[in-house]
Amino acid sequence: MTGNQLIDMMLHSHRRVHVIGTQENGVIAALDLEGRLFTVVNGRVLNRVVESAILNRSNRNAYQNPGGDALWPAPEGSCFGYEYGPGQWRVPPSITGAVWEVVQQSANKTIIRAEIDLVNNRQLGIPSEFERHIEIERTGNSLIQHVTEIIRYIGVRTLVKDEFRLAPWSLCQFDSSQGCKVIMPPSPEGDICDMYDSSLSQRGISGENYEVIPQTDFRFQLGLGENVPWIEFVSGEDFRVKRSAGSLPAGQNYIDIADTDPAKFPSEFGVKLSIYCDPSGFMEIEACGGCADLLIPGTELSVKITTEYVVG
């Protein structure tokens, strides 16, 4: 799909769009699709695009997952997660219906922001602003995307650690098929955690790298600890995407982001990067920020994520 085709589709479904860079080499921010980002290199959209999810709307009966790169709150499950408010898994309407606005822009830089009131699985409300600071640089056949992800607490009461967990979490989606893989440097097993059932059949050392095969007949997700410096998705369609996350602000620490039972307490495993693989034919390379021990009014939880898209 070309950048122009994606923009036409969004406008047809009455979705606002903002372009950083150009429609041929840049980032398309879908302001009415959770503020998701779609990266275009040499005219081609490299992220996963789900046309039906763009043309339709999420509601309590069905979540429309349009692809791209989204900012979500972590964790997903556990007693402190944000996806089980009514008891069953769902993406909260405060996320799917968020109104993202462009609050600052220049040729290759943009800041978008939305107010999103979170309710965790203990039914505690956490008024928040989500903010994405997007900057791009173009070099040859690559486009480097620097995004500072921020969740800002705008409530009036200080929250203590036994009431909440919260961290910014970027989920970047791609279609996956035979020939695709994810590579990363060899890492101690203590820095690799299966979030669901074992995925040992899909991963292991291959040459100089640790390799994960995303084509699968069962869903799996790997949480990667702070000693893993980067992950790289290698598409069978002649492009590759490498992600890394910068150091956390002082006083913030990685947390368990897993989609676990909402009645359970989260584990102590802190996730910096993550790989999710789905049997329906898509995968995500994810990056996370950290959580503070206290949420004082105005607290910003943030992480700078660098994503390099290389074609050819």
Side-chain angles (χ1 to χ4, degrees), residues 175-182 211-215 233-237 283:
D175 293 316
S176 60
S177 58
Q178 187 172 7
C180 296
K181 61 185 177 180
V182 179
E211 186 173 289
V212 180
I213 303 302
Q215 187 180 27
F233 172 68
V234 181
S235 172
E237 298 181 359
M283 62 83 62

Side-chain angles (χ1 to χ4, degrees), residues 19-258:
V19 178
I20 305 103
T22 70
Q23 297 176 11
E24 289 74 33
N25 290 285
V27 173
I28 298 170
L31 301 175
D32 295 321
L33 284 169
E34 304 173 23
R36 290 183 180 237
L37 310 178
F38 295 83
T39 299
V40 189
V41 182
N42 295 340
R44 174 181 166 197
V45 180
L46 299 184
N47 296 101
R48 180 180 190 238
V49 177
V50 182
E51 182 175 353
S52 61
I54 294 173
L55 298 176
N56 294 295
R57 307 271 169 168
S58 294
N59 56 40
R60 65 181 303 166
N61 298 315
Y63 172 59
Q64 305 293 335
N65 188 340
D69 175 353
L71 170 59
W72 272 14
E76 185 169 358
S78 84
C79 61
F80 295 126
Y82 300 96
E83 308 297 322
Y84 288 90
Q88 301 295 319
W89 186 92
R90 68 156 187 181
V91 180
S94 62
I95 290 177
T96 60
V99 178
W100 287 82
E101 303 283 359
V102 176
V103 296
Q104 186 175 317
Q105 62 180 303
S106 61
N108 293 313
K109 298 180 183 179
T110 291
I111 299 174
I112 62 174
R113 180 189 302 149
E115 287 193 57
I116 297 177
D117 288 344
L118 301 171
V119 179
N120 71 17
N121 294 334
R122 286 186 167 178
Q123 309 295 285
L124 174 70
I126 303 178
S128 304
E129 285 181 337
F130 283 35
E131 203 166 270
R132 314 190 79 178
H133 295 227
I134 307 144
E135 181 177 356
I136 63 170
E137 52 181 299
R138 176 89 167 113
T139 57
N141 285 326
S142 73
L143 188 143
I144 302 174
Q145 179 177 302
H146 303 285
V147 180
T148 301
E149 309 281 26
I150 298 172
I151 297 179
R152 181 180 300 111
Y153 176 53
I154 58 173
V156 297
R157 181 171 74 86
T158 296
L159 304 180
V160 298
K161 194 172 183 180
D162 64 0
E163 296 180 282
F164 79 99
R165 295 290 187 278
L166 179 61
W169 176 21
S170 170
L171 307 88
C172 193
Q173 293 188 4
F174 301 93
D175 293 316
S176 60
S177 58
Q178 187 172 7
C180 296
K181 61 185 177 180
V182 179
I183 60 174
M184 62 186 184
S187 302
E189 280 299 316
D191 276 310
I192 304 174
C193 175
D194 271 311
M195 295 187 181
Y196 307 124
D197 294 332
S198 172
S199 65
L200 286 173
S201 62
Q202 301 294 123
R203 58 186 174 94
I205 295 291
S206 178
E208 297 182 353
N209 294 310
Y210 197 96
E211 186 173 289
V212 180
I213 303 302
Q215 187 180 27
T216 177
D217 57 7
F218 65 97
R219 76 168 185 160
F220 68 92
Q221 184 168 6
L222 297 178
L224 306 174
E226 62 182 330
N227 295 315
V228 179
W230 53 264
I231 52 178
E232 184 172 14
F233 172 68
V234 181
S235 172
E237 298 181 359
D238 74 5
F239 71 91
R240 52 204 302 141
V241 184
K242 186 175 184 178
R243 296 203 104 183
S244 60
S247 301
L248 296 181
Q252 297 180 21
N253 299 289
Y254 297 112
I255 61 171
D256 178 9
I257 69 170

